[in-house]
Amino acid sequence: MKRILTIAAALCLAVALFAGTAMAAGKLKVAGIYTQPIQQKWDACLHKALQKAADAGEIEYVYSEKVSNTDYIRVLREYSEKGVNLIVGEAFGISRDVTKVAKDYPDVAYLMGDSFGPRGDNLSVFDNYIHEPCYLMGMVAGKMTKTNKIGMVGGYPIGECNRLFNAFMAGAKSVNPDVQFKVSFIGSWYDPPKAKEFAFAQVESGVDVLYAERAGVVDAAREKGIIAFGNVNDMNKEENGKDVVVASALWSMDAAIGHAVQLVKAGQFKAEDYREWTMMAKGGASLSPFYEFEDKIPADVKTAVARKADEIKAGTFTVAIDDAEPKSTF
């Protein structure tokens, strides 16, 4: 009997300790599921935001990386079964299956990258709406090109890439009506050698400015002695872009993750579109510093960009969200 009581006491202590380190301490159990390695910058943006929340003591965080679409639903269900409160991941290409999982686990909150809208009561969606700083970069690029030809190398011609290219092109055209564009997609999310090859071809066609939506383009710009503009992460500092990358359109999921965590804690999570949480007004998007290019950009251009940024944040200027596939103009 004494042995049974000892075991029971130990079990109670374990439960108490778990509660003390999780919900009782205000922490949520959160899981991230990524199709790419967490070093890949799109997934890295999610991972960094969740890790930051974990480091601040807000959540308990676990993750799985390099999960293929064919295995994704199994992993999603496993986390849902384990009592995770919030799952952050991607539903691109498997939206219908993810929707079914969310319906099967109504007590779990899902925040998924998705091209479609929110569904049911517990499936919220997001995407990287950094088109606003892309417009600002376009303004700078339009004034810095000497050949009036700008190259753009992206992954796939889908909404999340198209809207960035279209905004960049609109920003450049707003300050330089004569500028032309060469648009290429490499058919991969991560293939630096291929992106570099496409960038070389664009330089041969006469471009003297490159928009590096994919990794590998900055290296091409460096080798060819031209400038580039970065995407999602700070490519000047993180992708060997010193003296090459003028600025980058930055994406942060900190605000979006913070919003989701607070709603789950309050028992108020619902299906909604997190678009606004990835835009400039909410701090989800921004333009990086100009670093060593600070004194190389004309003062009037920097003033115009700063003014436009203020207008975007205030809601007095709207950068159009255009998900149509952009086309080369020369």
Side-chain angles (χ1 to χ4, degrees):
M1 184 69 177
K2 184 177 180 181
R3 184 168 181 269
I4 293 174
L5 290 174
T6 301
I7 294 172
L11 288 172
C12 289
L13 178 60
V15 171
L17 286 173
F18 177 79
T21 58
M23 295 297 289
K27 292 184 184 180
L28 302 178
K29 295 179 70 177
V30 182
I33 310 176
Y34 312 117
T35 59
Q36 304 292 323
I38 56 171
Q39 289 78 18
Q40 194 267 356
K41 60 185 178 181
W42 202 93
D43 285 327
C45 185
L46 310 182
H47 175 68
K48 287 177 181 177
L50 288 167
Q51 189 61 58
K52 185 176 181 179
D55 292 342
E58 289 287 319
I59 64 174
E60 285 188 350
Y61 171 51
V62 294
Y63 67 89
S64 296
E65 59 181 323
K66 296 184 282 188
V67 180
S68 66
N69 275 0
T70 55
D71 201 34
Y72 203 95
I73 298 305
R74 179 190 65 79
V75 177
L76 187 63
R77 285 190 178 278
E78 284 187 355
Y79 277 125
S80 300
E81 289 282 355
K82 290 178 180 178
V84 169
N85 306 111
L86 170 66
I87 299 177
V88 180
E90 308 153 54
F92 300 109
I94 51 172
S95 292
R96 182 177 299 177
D97 293 327
V98 171
T99 301
K100 187 177 187 307
V101 174
K103 186 176 181 180
D104 290 343
Y105 299 93
D107 295 329
V108 179
Y110 299 88
L111 178 59
M112 310 296 289
D114 201 334
S115 299
F116 300 99
R119 277 95 72 191
D121 298 320
N122 61 330
L123 176 53
S124 290
V125 298
F126 68 90
D127 206 339
N128 61 329
Y129 284 88
I130 59 172
H131 58 293
E132 294 165 328
C134 285
Y135 184 96
L136 301 178
M137 288 198 309
M139 293 175 64
V140 179
K143 284 295 189 180
M144 294 188 77
T145 177
K146 295 179 174 61
T147 64
N148 282 338
K149 292 182 178 180
I150 296 176
M152 312 171 74
V153 180
Y156 292 93
I158 62 174
E160 66 175 289
C161 292
N162 296 345
R163 73 176 67 108
L164 310 186
F165 279 11
N166 285 321
F168 183 87
M169 295 163 78
K173 294 286 283 187
S174 73
V175 299
N176 183 357
D178 296 325
V179 71
Q180 295 178 291
F181 305 93
K182 184 69 71 177
V183 181
S184 301
F185 294 98
I186 66 172
S188 172
W189 289 129
Y190 189 74
D191 191 340
K194 190 173 184 179
K196 187 175 181 179
E197 179 184 338
F198 274 61
F200 280 153
Q202 291 190 348
V203 174
E204 290 301 316
S205 72
V207 309
D208 65 344
V209 175
L210 286 166
Y211 177 13
E213 198 273 333
R214 290 292 104 189
V217 178
V218 172
D219 289 339
R222 178 178 298 282
E223 289 186 27
K224 293 297 184 180
I226 64 174
I227 60 174
F229 288 82
N231 188 69
V232 174
N233 61 329
D234 192 336
M235 296 175 80
N236 183 292
K237 297 302 182 185
E238 298 177 34
E239 296 194 25
N240 191 33
K242 187 176 186 296
D243 296 317
V244 175
V245 178
V246 178
S248 297
L250 306 179
W251 180 34
S252 170
M253 279 293 287
D254 290 1
I257 294 299
H259 178 61
V261 166
Q262 292 307 311
L263 289 179
V264 175
K265 281 185 176 180
Q268 298 175 350
F269 188 89
K270 59 183 179 180
E272 60 181 315
D273 191 333
Y274 276 53
R275 175 183 301 186
E276 65 177 302
W277 293 93
T278 64
M279 294 169 64
M280 287 181 66
K282 294 281 191 180
S286 61
L287 183 66
S288 76
F290 296 125
Y291 298 115
E292 58 273 14
F293 289 92
E294 184 68 41
D295 296 329
K296 299 177 183 178
I297 302 171
D300 61 328
V301 175
K302 291 188 291 185
T303 298
V305 168
R307 184 183 303 116
K308 191 63 65 178
D310 289 341
E311 292 174 2
I312 290 171
K313 293 175 186 176
T316 57
F317 180 80
T318 300
V319 179
I321 298 174
D322 184 358
D323 286 354
E325 181 177 346
K327 302 294 184 182
S328 297
T329 58
F330 75 95

PDB file of all heavy atoms in Angstrom, residues 1 6 10 12-13 28 77-78 81 93 100 124-125 132 135 149 165 168 175 210 243 251 255 259 282 298 312 315:
ATOM      1  N   MET A   1       0.831  -1.204   0.000  1.00  0.00           N
ATOM      2  CA  MET A   1       0.000   0.000   0.000  1.00  0.00           C
ATOM      3  C   MET A   1       0.868   1.258   0.000  1.00  0.00           C
ATOM      4  O   MET A   1       0.604   2.228  -0.691  1.00  0.00           O
ATOM      5  CB  MET A   1      -0.911  -0.025   1.253  1.00  0.00           C
ATOM      6  CG  MET A   1      -1.883   1.131   1.287  1.00  0.00           C
ATOM      7  SD  MET A   1      -3.154   1.001  -0.019  1.00  0.00           S
ATOM      8  CE  MET A   1      -4.145   2.423   0.372  1.00  0.00           C
ATOM      9  N   THR A   6       3.235   5.924  -2.807  1.00  0.00           N
ATOM     10  CA  THR A   6       4.453   6.604  -3.265  1.00  0.00           C
ATOM     11  C   THR A   6       4.384   6.877  -4.763  1.00  0.00           C
ATOM     12  O   THR A   6       4.708   7.965  -5.242  1.00  0.00           O
ATOM     13  CB  THR A   6       5.701   5.762  -2.952  1.00  0.00           C
ATOM     14  OG1 THR A   6       5.767   5.556  -1.548  1.00  0.00           O
ATOM     15  CG2 THR A   6       6.965   6.471  -3.420  1.00  0.00           C
ATOM     16  N   ALA A  10       4.121  10.436  -6.747  1.00  0.00           N
ATOM     17  CA  ALA A  10       5.058  10.813  -7.804  1.00  0.00           C
ATOM     18  C   ALA A  10       4.316  11.255  -9.057  1.00  0.00           C
ATOM     19  O   ALA A  10       4.687  12.236  -9.704  1.00  0.00           O
ATOM     20  CB  ALA A  10       5.972   9.630  -8.127  1.00  0.00           C
ATOM     21  N   CYS A  12       1.300  12.495  -9.187  1.00  0.00           N
ATOM     22  CA  CYS A  12       0.690  13.802  -8.904  1.00  0.00           C
ATOM     23  C   CYS A  12       1.722  14.918  -9.015  1.00  0.00           C
ATOM     24  O   CYS A  12       1.435  16.003  -9.521  1.00  0.00           O
ATOM     25  CB  CYS A  12       0.076  13.800  -7.495  1.00  0.00           C
ATOM     26  SG  CYS A  12      -1.414  12.784  -7.353  1.00  0.00           S
ATOM     27  N   LEU A  13       2.936  14.643  -8.511  1.00  0.00           N
ATOM     28  CA  LEU A  13       4.004  15.636  -8.587  1.00  0.00           C
ATOM     29  C   LEU A  13       4.358  15.932 -10.029  1.00  0.00           C
ATOM     30  O   LEU A  13       4.562  17.092 -10.406  1.00  0.00           O
ATOM     31  CB  LEU A  13       5.235  15.122  -7.836  1.00  0.00           C
ATOM     32  CG  LEU A  13       6.465  16.052  -7.864  1.00  0.00           C
ATOM     33  CD1 LEU A  13       6.119  17.392  -7.230  1.00  0.00           C
ATOM     34  CD2 LEU A  13       7.638  15.395  -7.144  1.00  0.00           C
ATOM     35  N   LEU A  28       1.607  28.427 -23.355  1.00  0.00           N
ATOM     36  CA  LEU A  28       0.870  27.565 -24.260  1.00  0.00           C
ATOM     37  C   LEU A  28       1.834  26.567 -24.885  1.00  0.00           C
ATOM     38  O   LEU A  28       3.012  26.865 -25.052  1.00  0.00           O
ATOM     39  CB  LEU A  28       0.212  28.377 -25.376  1.00  0.00           C
ATOM     40  CG  LEU A  28      -0.767  29.477 -24.986  1.00  0.00           C
ATOM     41  CD1 LEU A  28      -1.255  30.179 -26.232  1.00  0.00           C
ATOM     42  CD2 LEU A  28      -1.936  28.908 -24.222  1.00  0.00           C
ATOM     43  N   ARG A  77      -1.631  15.786 -37.450  1.00  0.00           N
ATOM     44  CA  ARG A  77      -2.534  15.043 -36.569  1.00  0.00           C
ATOM     45  C   ARG A  77      -1.824  14.596 -35.292  1.00  0.00           C
ATOM     46  O   ARG A  77      -2.422  14.600 -34.197  1.00  0.00           O
ATOM     47  CB  ARG A  77      -3.116  13.837 -37.307  1.00  0.00           C
ATOM     48  CG  ARG A  77      -4.193  14.199 -38.327  1.00  0.00           C
ATOM     49  CD  ARG A  77      -4.906  12.976 -38.868  1.00  0.00           C
ATOM     50  NE  ARG A  77      -5.963  13.348 -39.791  1.00  0.00           N
ATOM     51  CZ  ARG A  77      -7.180  13.727 -39.435  1.00  0.00           C
ATOM     52  NH1 ARG A  77      -7.495  13.760 -38.138  1.00  0.00           N
ATOM     53  NH2 ARG A  77      -8.087  14.047 -40.326  1.00  0.00           N
ATOM     54  N   GLU A  78      -0.570  14.217 -35.394  1.00  0.00           N
ATOM     55  CA  GLU A  78       0.169  13.778 -34.212  1.00  0.00           C
ATOM     56  C   GLU A  78       0.276  14.902 -33.183  1.00  0.00           C
ATOM     57  O   GLU A  78       0.055  14.693 -31.988  1.00  0.00           O
ATOM     58  CB  GLU A  78       1.561  13.283 -34.609  1.00  0.00           C
ATOM     59  CG  GLU A  78       1.570  11.902 -35.239  1.00  0.00           C
ATOM     60  CD  GLU A  78       2.975  11.381 -35.473  1.00  0.00           C
ATOM     61  OE1 GLU A  78       3.944  12.135 -35.226  1.00  0.00           O
ATOM     62  OE2 GLU A  78       3.108  10.222 -35.916  1.00  0.00           O
ATOM     63  N   GLU A  81      -3.071  15.525 -31.569  1.00  0.00           N
ATOM     64  CA  GLU A  81      -3.418  14.495 -30.596  1.00  0.00           C
ATOM     65  C   GLU A  81      -2.670  14.674 -29.277  1.00  0.00           C
ATOM     66  O   GLU A  81      -3.134  14.237 -28.223  1.00  0.00           O
ATOM     67  CB  GLU A  81      -3.093  13.104 -31.171  1.00  0.00           C
ATOM     68  CG  GLU A  81      -4.005  12.643 -32.294  1.00  0.00           C
ATOM     69  CD  GLU A  81      -5.348  12.126 -31.789  1.00  0.00           C
ATOM     70  OE1 GLU A  81      -5.529  12.039 -30.557  1.00  0.00           O
ATOM     71  OE2 GLU A  81      -6.209  11.832 -32.640  1.00  0.00           O
ATOM     72  N   GLY A  93      -0.899  23.881 -51.030  1.00  0.00           N
ATOM     73  CA  GLY A  93      -0.983  22.630 -51.770  1.00  0.00           C
ATOM     74  C   GLY A  93      -1.754  21.534 -51.064  1.00  0.00           C
ATOM     75  O   GLY A  93      -2.107  20.526 -51.676  1.00  0.00           O
ATOM     76  N   LYS A 100      -9.698  19.667 -43.039  1.00  0.00           N
ATOM     77  CA  LYS A 100     -10.330  18.508 -42.392  1.00  0.00           C
ATOM     78  C   LYS A 100      -9.729  18.251 -41.015  1.00  0.00           C
ATOM     79  O   LYS A 100     -10.449  17.959 -40.052  1.00  0.00           O
ATOM     80  CB  LYS A 100     -10.177  17.264 -43.272  1.00  0.00           C
ATOM     81  CG  LYS A 100     -10.944  16.046 -42.756  1.00  0.00           C
ATOM     82  CD  LYS A 100     -10.820  14.876 -43.692  1.00  0.00           C
ATOM     83  CE  LYS A 100     -11.738  13.727 -43.261  1.00  0.00           C
ATOM     84  NZ  LYS A 100     -11.551  13.329 -41.861  1.00  0.00           N
ATOM     85  N   SER A 124      -7.010  29.814 -38.880  1.00  0.00           N
ATOM     86  CA  SER A 124      -6.627  31.137 -39.354  1.00  0.00           C
ATOM     87  C   SER A 124      -5.503  31.008 -40.372  1.00  0.00           C
ATOM     88  O   SER A 124      -4.758  30.024 -40.367  1.00  0.00           O
ATOM     89  CB  SER A 124      -6.164  32.025 -38.187  1.00  0.00           C
ATOM     90  OG  SER A 124      -7.250  32.377 -37.366  1.00  0.00           O
ATOM     91  N   VAL A 125      -5.367  32.000 -41.248  1.00  0.00           N
ATOM     92  CA  VAL A 125      -4.372  31.922 -42.312  1.00  0.00           C
ATOM     93  C   VAL A 125      -3.527  33.200 -42.354  1.00  0.00           C
ATOM     94  O   VAL A 125      -3.937  34.258 -41.881  1.00  0.00           O
ATOM     95  CB  VAL A 125      -5.039  31.705 -43.689  1.00  0.00           C
ATOM     96  CG1 VAL A 125      -5.805  30.386 -43.698  1.00  0.00           C
ATOM     97  CG2 VAL A 125      -5.970  32.859 -44.046  1.00  0.00           C
ATOM     98  N   GLU A 132       4.406  46.280 -49.449  1.00  0.00           N
ATOM     99  CA  GLU A 132       4.564  47.714 -49.164  1.00  0.00           C
ATOM    100  C   GLU A 132       6.041  48.130 -49.146  1.00  0.00           C
ATOM    101  O   GLU A 132       6.415  49.093 -49.856  1.00  0.00           O
ATOM    102  CB  GLU A 132       3.859  48.058 -47.851  1.00  0.00           C
ATOM    103  CG  GLU A 132       2.348  47.892 -47.938  1.00  0.00           C
ATOM    104  CD  GLU A 132       1.675  47.880 -46.577  1.00  0.00           C
ATOM    105  OE1 GLU A 132       2.313  47.406 -45.599  1.00  0.00           O
ATOM    106  OE2 GLU A 132       0.527  48.336 -46.487  1.00  0.00           O
ATOM    107  N   TYR A 135       7.407  48.152 -52.627  1.00  0.00           N
ATOM    108  CA  TYR A 135       7.113  49.383 -53.376  1.00  0.00           C
ATOM    109  C   TYR A 135       8.176  50.443 -53.068  1.00  0.00           C
ATOM    110  O   TYR A 135       8.677  51.119 -53.982  1.00  0.00           O
ATOM    111  CB  TYR A 135       5.722  49.899 -52.989  1.00  0.00           C
ATOM    112  CG  TYR A 135       5.265  51.124 -53.765  1.00  0.00           C
ATOM    113  CD1 TYR A 135       4.459  51.001 -54.890  1.00  0.00           C
ATOM    114  CD2 TYR A 135       5.620  52.412 -53.360  1.00  0.00           C
ATOM    115  CE1 TYR A 135       4.027  52.113 -55.598  1.00  0.00           C
ATOM    116  CE2 TYR A 135       5.202  53.524 -54.058  1.00  0.00           C
ATOM    117  CZ  TYR A 135       4.412  53.370 -55.177  1.00  0.00           C
ATOM    118  OH  TYR A 135       3.989  54.496 -55.878  1.00  0.00           O
ATOM    119  N   LYS A 149      17.002  49.391 -66.837  1.00  0.00           N
ATOM    120  CA  LYS A 149      16.619  47.992 -66.946  1.00  0.00           C
ATOM    121  C   LYS A 149      16.891  47.289 -65.618  1.00  0.00           C
ATOM    122  O   LYS A 149      18.028  47.276 -65.140  1.00  0.00           O
ATOM    123  CB  LYS A 149      17.390  47.305 -68.074  1.00  0.00           C
ATOM    124  CG  LYS A 149      17.006  47.810 -69.463  1.00  0.00           C
ATOM    125  CD  LYS A 149      17.772  47.064 -70.550  1.00  0.00           C
ATOM    126  CE  LYS A 149      17.329  47.542 -71.940  1.00  0.00           C
ATOM    127  NZ  LYS A 149      18.056  46.830 -73.035  1.00  0.00           N
ATOM    128  N   PHE A 165       6.733  41.393 -56.667  1.00  0.00           N
ATOM    129  CA  PHE A 165       7.289  41.895 -57.916  1.00  0.00           C
ATOM    130  C   PHE A 165       6.454  43.051 -58.462  1.00  0.00           C
ATOM    131  O   PHE A 165       6.995  44.071 -58.899  1.00  0.00           O
ATOM    132  CB  PHE A 165       7.356  40.774 -58.952  1.00  0.00           C
ATOM    133  CG  PHE A 165       8.559  39.867 -58.805  1.00  0.00           C
ATOM    134  CD1 PHE A 165       9.369  39.917 -57.690  1.00  0.00           C
ATOM    135  CD2 PHE A 165       8.886  38.962 -59.807  1.00  0.00           C
ATOM    136  CE1 PHE A 165      10.478  39.102 -57.560  1.00  0.00           C
ATOM    137  CE2 PHE A 165       9.995  38.139 -59.692  1.00  0.00           C
ATOM    138  CZ  PHE A 165      10.797  38.202 -58.572  1.00  0.00           C
ATOM    139  N   PHE A 168       7.044  46.182 -56.430  1.00  0.00           N
ATOM    140  CA  PHE A 168       8.377  46.704 -56.718  1.00  0.00           C
ATOM    141  C   PHE A 168       8.380  47.445 -58.061  1.00  0.00           C
ATOM    142  O   PHE A 168       8.924  48.551 -58.174  1.00  0.00           O
ATOM    143  CB  PHE A 168       9.372  45.542 -56.750  1.00  0.00           C
ATOM    144  CG  PHE A 168      10.805  45.941 -56.957  1.00  0.00           C
ATOM    145  CD1 PHE A 168      11.617  46.277 -55.887  1.00  0.00           C
ATOM    146  CD2 PHE A 168      11.360  45.971 -58.230  1.00  0.00           C
ATOM    147  CE1 PHE A 168      12.950  46.630 -56.069  1.00  0.00           C
ATOM    148  CE2 PHE A 168      12.683  46.326 -58.433  1.00  0.00           C
ATOM    149  CZ  PHE A 168      13.483  46.655 -57.350  1.00  0.00           C
ATOM    150  N   VAL A 175       8.588  56.662 -59.998  1.00  0.00           N
ATOM    151  CA  VAL A 175       9.636  57.684 -59.995  1.00  0.00           C
ATOM    152  C   VAL A 175      10.420  57.706 -61.303  1.00  0.00           C
ATOM    153  O   VAL A 175      11.168  58.650 -61.565  1.00  0.00           O
ATOM    154  CB  VAL A 175      10.620  57.459 -58.827  1.00  0.00           C
ATOM    155  CG1 VAL A 175       9.889  57.561 -57.487  1.00  0.00           C
ATOM    156  CG2 VAL A 175      11.333  56.113 -58.939  1.00  0.00           C
ATOM    157  N   LEU A 210      19.234  44.315 -59.605  1.00  0.00           N
ATOM    158  CA  LEU A 210      18.550  43.034 -59.464  1.00  0.00           C
ATOM    159  C   LEU A 210      17.696  43.009 -58.199  1.00  0.00           C
ATOM    160  O   LEU A 210      18.120  43.494 -57.138  1.00  0.00           O
ATOM    161  CB  LEU A 210      19.555  41.883 -59.383  1.00  0.00           C
ATOM    162  CG  LEU A 210      20.253  41.477 -60.684  1.00  0.00           C
ATOM    163  CD1 LEU A 210      21.459  40.579 -60.373  1.00  0.00           C
ATOM    164  CD2 LEU A 210      19.280  40.762 -61.617  1.00  0.00           C
ATOM    165  N   ASP A 243      27.862  46.040 -49.450  1.00  0.00           N
ATOM    166  CA  ASP A 243      28.265  46.790 -50.638  1.00  0.00           C
ATOM    167  C   ASP A 243      27.538  46.338 -51.905  1.00  0.00           C
ATOM    168  O   ASP A 243      27.881  46.774 -53.008  1.00  0.00           O
ATOM    169  CB  ASP A 243      29.784  46.699 -50.873  1.00  0.00           C
ATOM    170  CG  ASP A 243      30.586  47.341 -49.757  1.00  0.00           C
ATOM    171  OD1 ASP A 243      30.194  48.435 -49.307  1.00  0.00           O
ATOM    172  OD2 ASP A 243      31.599  46.751 -49.326  1.00  0.00           O
ATOM    173  N   TRP A 251      10.249  40.810 -43.566  1.00  0.00           N
ATOM    174  CA  TRP A 251       9.016  40.198 -43.071  1.00  0.00           C
ATOM    175  C   TRP A 251       9.243  39.736 -41.649  1.00  0.00           C
ATOM    176  O   TRP A 251      10.242  39.097 -41.346  1.00  0.00           O
ATOM    177  CB  TRP A 251       8.651  39.013 -43.951  1.00  0.00           C
ATOM    178  CG  TRP A 251       7.402  38.280 -43.562  1.00  0.00           C
ATOM    179  CD1 TRP A 251       6.262  38.815 -43.008  1.00  0.00           C
ATOM    180  CD2 TRP A 251       7.158  36.868 -43.672  1.00  0.00           C
ATOM    181  NE1 TRP A 251       5.333  37.840 -42.793  1.00  0.00           N
ATOM    182  CE2 TRP A 251       5.844  36.629 -43.178  1.00  0.00           C
ATOM    183  CE3 TRP A 251       7.908  35.789 -44.145  1.00  0.00           C
ATOM    184  CZ2 TRP A 251       5.264  35.375 -43.154  1.00  0.00           C
ATOM    185  CZ3 TRP A 251       7.344  34.530 -44.115  1.00  0.00           C
ATOM    186  CH2 TRP A 251       6.044  34.323 -43.634  1.00  0.00           C
ATOM    187  N   ALA A 255       4.482  40.046 -34.626  1.00  0.00           N
ATOM    188  CA  ALA A 255       3.178  40.614 -34.278  1.00  0.00           C
ATOM    189  C   ALA A 255       2.063  39.597 -34.473  1.00  0.00           C
ATOM    190  O   ALA A 255       1.150  39.490 -33.648  1.00  0.00           O
ATOM    191  CB  ALA A 255       2.909  41.864 -35.115  1.00  0.00           C
ATOM    192  N   HIS A 259      -0.277  38.046 -31.531  1.00  0.00           N
ATOM    193  CA  HIS A 259      -1.738  38.176 -31.593  1.00  0.00           C
ATOM    194  C   HIS A 259      -2.396  36.817 -31.385  1.00  0.00           C
ATOM    195  O   HIS A 259      -3.334  36.682 -30.583  1.00  0.00           O
ATOM    196  CB  HIS A 259      -2.125  38.763 -32.952  1.00  0.00           C
ATOM    197  CG  HIS A 259      -3.602  38.906 -33.167  1.00  0.00           C
ATOM    198  ND1 HIS A 259      -4.396  39.702 -32.374  1.00  0.00           N
ATOM    199  CD2 HIS A 259      -4.431  38.337 -34.096  1.00  0.00           C
ATOM    200  CE1 HIS A 259      -5.655  39.632 -32.800  1.00  0.00           C
ATOM    201  NE2 HIS A 259      -5.696  38.809 -33.838  1.00  0.00           N
ATOM    202  N   LYS A 282       1.134  47.229 -38.766  1.00  0.00           N
ATOM    203  CA  LYS A 282       1.171  46.390 -37.564  1.00  0.00           C
ATOM    204  C   LYS A 282       2.592  45.925 -37.228  1.00  0.00           C
ATOM    205  O   LYS A 282       2.793  45.182 -36.267  1.00  0.00           O
ATOM    206  CB  LYS A 282       0.297  45.150 -37.766  1.00  0.00           C
ATOM    207  CG  LYS A 282      -1.190  45.446 -37.907  1.00  0.00           C
ATOM    208  CD  LYS A 282      -1.848  45.709 -36.577  1.00  0.00           C
ATOM    209  CE  LYS A 282      -3.355  45.741 -36.704  1.00  0.00           C
ATOM    210  NZ  LYS A 282      -4.027  46.010 -35.408  1.00  0.00           N
ATOM    211  N   PRO A 298      20.455  59.657 -53.322  1.00  0.00           N
ATOM    212  CA  PRO A 298      20.150  61.094 -53.249  1.00  0.00           C
ATOM    213  C   PRO A 298      19.206  61.421 -52.097  1.00  0.00           C
ATOM    214  O   PRO A 298      18.273  60.654 -51.810  1.00  0.00           O
ATOM    215  CB  PRO A 298      19.495  61.377 -54.602  1.00  0.00           C
ATOM    216  CG  PRO A 298      20.067  60.350 -55.522  1.00  0.00           C
ATOM    217  CD  PRO A 298      20.211  59.106 -54.671  1.00  0.00           C
ATOM    218  N   ILE A 312       1.869  55.121 -45.946  1.00  0.00           N
ATOM    219  CA  ILE A 312       1.417  53.719 -45.930  1.00  0.00           C
ATOM    220  C   ILE A 312       0.974  53.330 -44.524  1.00  0.00           C
ATOM    221  O   ILE A 312      -0.098  52.749 -44.323  1.00  0.00           O
ATOM    222  CB  ILE A 312       2.546  52.787 -46.418  1.00  0.00           C
ATOM    223  CG1 ILE A 312       2.796  52.988 -47.917  1.00  0.00           C
ATOM    224  CG2 ILE A 312       2.188  51.321 -46.138  1.00  0.00           C
ATOM    225  CD1 ILE A 312       4.031  52.276 -48.442  1.00  0.00           C
ATOM    226  N   GLY A 315      -2.245  54.880 -43.549  1.00  0.00           N
ATOM    227  CA  GLY A 315      -3.399  54.466 -44.342  1.00  0.00           C
ATOM    228  C   GLY A 315      -3.844  55.471 -45.379  1.00  0.00           C
ATOM    229  O   GLY A 315      -4.905  55.320 -45.989  1.00  0.00           O
TER     230      GLY A 315
END
